[in-house]
Amino acid sequence: MSETEAPVVVNNFLRDIVSADLASGKHKEIVTRFPPEPNGYLHLGHAKAICINFGLVEEFGGRCHLRYDDTNPAKEEQEYIDAIEADVRWLGFDWGRHLYHASDYFEQLYLWAETLIEKGLAYVDDQTPDEMRLNRGTLTEAGKPSPFRERAVAENLDLFRRMKAGEFPNGARTLRAKIDMASGNINLRDPVLYRIIHTPHPRTGTTWCIFPMYDYAHGQSDALEHVTHSLCTLEYDDHRPLYDWLLEQLPVPARPRQYEFARLNMTYTVLSKRSLTQFVKEGHVDGWDDPRMPTIAGMRRRGIPPEAIRDFVKRAGVARANSVVDIAMFDAAVREYLNKAASRYMAVLKPLKVVIENYPEGQSEELEAVNNPEDPSAGSRKVPFSRELYIEQDDFMENPPKKFFRLSPGMEVRLRYAYFITCREAIKDAAGNIVELRCTYDPATKGGNAPDGRKVKATMHWVSAPHAVNAEVRIYNTLFSRPDPGADGDVVKDLNPNSLEVIADAKLEPVLAARNEKTTVQFERLGYFVRDSKAKGLVFNRTVGLRDSFAKAQ
Ligand code: ATP
Ligand code: MG
């Protein structure tokens, strides 16, 4: 089956849940949310969560909130907040007026923490983080109650208020839920609800020095926003009992449900903000938007269209079983979209000069070239042709093996949109390298067909030498040299030393320089490329290669 006919498998158990809840009347409309923590740039895994949350609402109606899970001022930055919004929009989703922050709820969350204390369901613990860890127990052993667990309500309230007032240093005390130190679920062994962090918060400044933990803030934020389906990844599966416990104990205005789906994992790719941050900070890549990064910003700079990302996420499906998607499936989704959408141009990456001996010196002409054979509405353009051309070094062999049908001495081939040419001689330098081909053309084959019906076995791309513009072309390979980076413990060790190949002197069809094209284009027979958005000169990034060159396909 060809790539373009691949079936789109849409496996999504969350759609079934939502559709049943609407059918039964449990909900009149659904409310979902995408809740990033602004401590890094969004990556392809987040794109999956974004597509799921916004996608359900696109399909079933309702609304999807963008909510910053900004509960840890020590790790969060405004740069990340801005990037997240730009990235979600670029993917094609809109939260309308529903932009929220967990920090919007700090006051209410604080009051509810007092409610828990008053109900005897929370206490201030003076244990150090190490003591708490030791006393938490293990999967097979119950935890030990804190010596502060039985503090009176009044003392807890007083200490919690003094924590809020800034009387204690970082780590001196925490507020913990009083649930069950012997629970089989470690998340229920008196989880920490609040900790002291004396770091200014991007939004609340120094108003707060106690901050709610994710597990405490999340469900209550969902309830405050009347979220119906709170969708998260599988690692939160055993946090759900705590999510539910808190909602049961507190006078919340709504009762959201949490559902978990499998994270997106992909071969040759690391989707962990912590590791991606490390690559940026240690300089293994050129920033968060390095085109080799699986960040949305990196993919955008590499020329990957948002439609292809959305299509890929849909094909990868939404399931509860963890799996690893083959990166080839991602590339196929990108190619499939670009094959339909991208305009074609000619570019020569490794140039070999060709002189057409019987084409008059000083003459040139403009030939008609189709912009996109997949899309007649894309029209055509003029490509200059002259006596001196460039072709790809790889398209010539002096002593070709049997199945090599491209150019070799005596062989006739078609130059795309131009003429048939025949190679007469290969000129070498003193060291024996081929530096130039002498060819002749058949003027009767203009446009690429011979009136006598004779056939050639190859069609090659080319660029007119006096008209060509020089460009740098960056070819990206996978960022890792093994499909399962980090499997031996160290992802940095698995970085691919050949993930970037720079071609300094590619020759492009002149219109590529004139037109400040921001969209991804096809260089015929080579792949898809996009003008780099940051480089000053003419630099193109390879988005993805073509699976087959048309020399083979035709
Ligand atoms: P990371 O593990 O990369 O640091 P995170 O889960 O800590 O990611 P958040 O900002 O908290 O990052 O994530 C926001 C949302 O994106 C969460 O609902 C999270 O479950 C989801 N998400 C994160 N990584 C993936 C992934 N690989 N596949 C699907 N969803 C993901
Ligand atoms: Mg997280």
Side-chain angles (χ1 to χ4, degrees), residues 33-37 39 43 45-46 48-49 69 231-233 235-236 261-264 271-274:
R33 84 289 167 269
F34 173 63
E37 181 178 2
N39 61 350
H43 54 59
H46 296 115
K48 172 176 177 174
D69 168 27
L231 313 175
C232 61
T233 35
E235 66 270 24
Y236 292 102
F261 60 89
R263 297 176 80 81
L264 177 71
L271 295 177
S272 143
K273 256 190 284 185
R274 196 155 60 91

Side-chain angles (χ1 to χ4, degrees), residues 146-202:
S146 160
F148 306 97
R149 195 171 198 262
E150 300 308 329
R151 265 181 170 146
V153 168
E155 189 187 356
N156 280 321
L157 266 184
D158 174 61
L159 285 171
F160 188 49
R161 286 172 185 165
R162 287 165 59 197
M163 278 169 63
K164 175 179 182 254
E167 283 190 29
F168 312 117
N170 289 353
R173 290 190 158 92
T174 57
L175 183 74
R176 297 179 73 177
K178 193 171 181 178
I179 308 180
D180 179 3
M181 286 305 290
S183 172
N185 183 341
I186 290 183
N187 294 296
L188 295 179
R189 292 186 189 169
D190 291 9
V192 172
L193 304 179
Y194 270 88
R195 69 260 206 245
I196 301 170
I197 305 176
H198 288 277
T199 299
H201 184 281

